[in-house]
Amino acid sequence: MPKLGIKGEKGIVFRKAWEVIKADFNAVFERDPAARSKLEVLLCYPGFHAILSHRLCHWLWNKGLRLPARFLSHITRFFTGIEIHPGATIGKGFFIDHGMGVVIGETAEIGDNVTLYHQVTLGGVSLKREKRHPTLRERVVVGAGAKILGPLVIGENSKVGANSVVVKDVPPNSTVVGVPGRTVKKRAIKVHGVDLDHHLLPDPVLSVIKAISEEVSELRKELEEIKKNGGKKRLDGIEHRLSRLEKLKRLEEMDSFIDEG
């Protein structure tokens, strides 16, 4: 294989960088129906401005120019309202919608075609200089106001509901909601492309309430049968089920019920 000269190597690096920037630019049109023209995106999309600046900041950071990288990211934060640490690793096709209040920490790792909405935090939970921020795999969608804390992993094709607080790993093809975040839905079929229906979220609390309501209805039916028969032959069964109902009211049992569902 012939050796590449300095110009050839620079050309390859430039082409790779250009492909990444094009993917970021095209992601705006793929995921925001409000985008009407290329000029509009170039002038009016802070999310695109932030990721474009971050590409340069990250290059400076990896070259050992830490202070210029931090200073440029600080200026970008002032103009866009989006704070991305230059050390964060971000894949191509990255899209931040609206963007105000987004914070991405130093050791965060983000895969290709990830989407974040405003006020999302990818935060750290350690004072040590180690991996302390989240890893988001490919095609993850994080709803507005969600907080993902610590060196956990969000599996590919997963969705994090708005205002959720995620503090543990999330399997691929899953939906997470709540504080703390709970995995309430898993999809066996792999999603192709980016699933932006992050408003279609199950309600785990409502599911538990429905289960308890159904249990109460069954107990009422059995009590009516006992009254009609004039005996207590099924009283033991009802006492057992009443005991189970009391357990469901406890928060620990509710969490287990949700996780099993």
Side-chain angles (χ1 to χ4, degrees):
M1 183 177 178
K3 293 184 178 179
L4 295 172
I6 295 177
K7 291 184 178 179
E9 291 178 354
K10 287 183 177 179
I12 292 174
V13 171
F14 178 79
R15 283 196 296 271
K16 287 182 178 179
W18 180 245
E19 289 299 322
V20 171
I21 292 171
K22 281 203 305 182
D24 295 335
F25 185 75
N26 292 333
V28 178
F29 293 96
E30 293 169 0
R31 295 172 228 167
D32 186 5
R36 289 177 172 79
S37 70
K38 294 180 180 180
L39 184 61
E40 180 185 12
V41 172
L42 289 172
L43 296 177
C44 306
Y45 272 72
F48 179 69
H49 300 157
I51 187 58
L52 189 62
S53 174
H54 173 73
R55 301 296 182 194
L56 177 57
C57 293
H58 188 64
W59 182 83
L60 292 171
W61 183 267
N62 289 335
K63 292 295 182 181
L65 302 172
R66 302 295 173 88
L67 182 58
R70 287 300 303 270
F71 184 65
L72 179 56
S73 69
H74 181 70
I75 293 173
T76 304
R77 174 193 178 192
F78 177 81
F79 283 104
T80 66
I82 298 169
E83 181 176 344
I84 308 177
H85 193 284
T89 302
I90 301 178
K92 64 183 180 181
F94 183 61
F95 177 52
I96 303 176
D97 198 3
H98 300 288
M100 181 62 70
V102 168
V103 177
I104 300 175
E106 178 185 3
T107 61
E109 299 175 57
I110 299 175
D112 295 342
N113 300 310
V114 168
T115 303
L116 306 183
Y117 288 84
H118 52 284
Q119 296 184 338
V120 166
T121 298
L122 306 184
V125 293
S126 173
L127 296 177
K128 297 180 180 179
R129 293 186 176 179
E130 59 186 9
K131 170 66 174 171
R132 59 190 186 277
H133 297 90
T135 296
L136 277 58
R137 302 297 190 198
E138 291 74 16
R139 297 174 297 279
V140 168
V141 177
V142 184
K147 316 300 177 188
I148 306 176
L149 306 176
L152 52 86
V153 177
I154 308 295
E156 60 269 15
N157 304 316
S158 291
K159 295 188 292 186
V160 179
N163 293 316
S164 299
V165 179
V166 184
V167 293
K168 61 182 180 180
D169 291 346
V170 176
N173 307 308
S174 300
T175 299
V176 181
V177 296
V179 181
R182 299 182 180 89
T183 301
V184 295
K185 183 179 180 182
K186 297 179 182 179
R187 296 169 290 182
I189 301 174
K190 187 175 180 180
V191 175
H192 297 282
V194 180
D195 182 6
L196 294 181
D197 290 332
H198 60 288
H199 64 293
L200 302 177
L201 301 175
D203 187 340
V205 176
L206 181 60
S207 298
V208 172
I209 292 173
K210 285 183 177 180
I212 295 175
S213 179
E214 291 173 0
E215 188 78 12
V216 170
S217 296
E218 290 295 325
L219 289 171
R220 285 175 177 169
K221 290 179 182 178
E222 293 193 18
L223 284 171
E224 289 298 323
E225 289 180 7
I226 289 176
K227 289 179 181 179
K228 289 179 181 179
N229 295 331
K232 299 182 179 180
K233 60 181 179 179
R234 304 184 68 181
L235 186 59
D236 291 340
I238 291 180
E239 288 179 348
H240 172 73
R241 295 176 73 178
L242 281 171
S243 176
R244 181 178 171 219
L245 186 60
E246 289 298 324
K247 290 180 181 179
L248 282 172
K249 293 179 181 178
R250 300 174 186 173
L251 180 60
E252 293 84 0
E253 290 299 318
M254 289 176 70
D255 289 342
S256 300
F257 189 90
I258 293 168
D259 290 338
E260 290 173 1

